[in-house]
Amino acid sequence: MLSALGKTPSEKPCNTIDTLIGVKSELKGDIVFTGGLRVDGKIRGNITAKGDGTSTLVLSEHAVVTGNVTVPHIVTNGSIKGNVRAAERIELQPKAEITGDVFYKVIEMALGAAINGNLVREPMEAGRDNKATITRLKAANEGPSESED
């Protein structure tokens, strides 16, 4: 989808699940991980990814996270009660629900997903080769420019 828009993600997400938290599991405490983490159960604590920026968090429709989430790539169909910071991309599937602020670079939101909080788009880093351009729209009361005849 991004390539159709002329954009390429800066980091490819991890395509493997290294850790699984089952549907009948309940964890209390902070989690720090690298690679892929899938959560089907409940977590009361912060989730943070360390490493090279390819780490991915997948939350199933049964997952409930109460705490802040800081992961480059997030795919959620569950519930998050806390602030979410996706350094690269976040995908909200139809049953996803976030109560808290969401900081993101790229967001994909399916019909039915809900966010109760602020959406804040993170700017691209200055050091990266960013080919995106900002188009400025002219005000409606301005006449046509000289190049438009």
Side-chain angles (χ1 to χ4, degrees):
M1 183 177 113
L2 291 175
S3 59
L5 298 173
K7 299 179 182 179
T8 56
S10 54
E11 297 285 345
K12 292 196 177 211
C14 177
N15 60 2
T16 61
I17 300 296
D18 301 310
T19 306
L20 171 67
I21 298 174
V23 71
K24 294 182 180 179
S25 300
E26 291 187 33
L27 295 176
K28 292 182 182 176
D30 295 344
I31 296 176
V32 179
F33 76 99
T34 58
L37 169 63
R38 179 181 171 102
V39 178
D40 294 332
K42 296 178 181 176
I43 296 176
R44 181 177 294 273
N46 300 324
I47 301 175
T48 306
K50 291 221 173 193
D52 58 0
T54 62
S55 295
T56 302
L57 172 66
V58 178
L59 300 177
S60 76
E61 64 186 57
H62 305 290
V64 176
V65 175
T66 304
N68 296 329
V69 176
T70 305
V71 180
H73 302 274
I74 302 170
V75 178
T76 181
N77 202 20
S79 173
I80 301 173
K81 293 178 179 80
N83 295 331
V84 177
R85 185 174 298 273
E88 294 297 330
R89 181 175 187 276
I90 183 168
E91 176 184 337
L92 286 86
Q93 295 178 340
K95 294 182 181 178
E97 183 178 333
I98 298 175
T99 303
D101 297 340
V102 178
F103 300 84
Y104 66 94
K105 274 190 189 168
V106 176
I107 188 168
E108 180 180 340
M109 192 168 174
L111 185 65
I115 297 175
N116 295 309
N118 295 313
L119 287 172
V120 181
R121 185 173 186 275
E122 300 275 84
M124 294 291 214
E125 288 92 17
R128 287 210 172 150
D129 181 23
N130 184 9
K131 296 180 181 175
T133 59
I134 298 173
T135 304
R136 302 279 183 218
L137 299 177
K138 62 183 176 182
N141 59 359
E142 291 180 22
S145 65
E146 292 179 16
S147 64
E148 297 176 11
D149 288 313

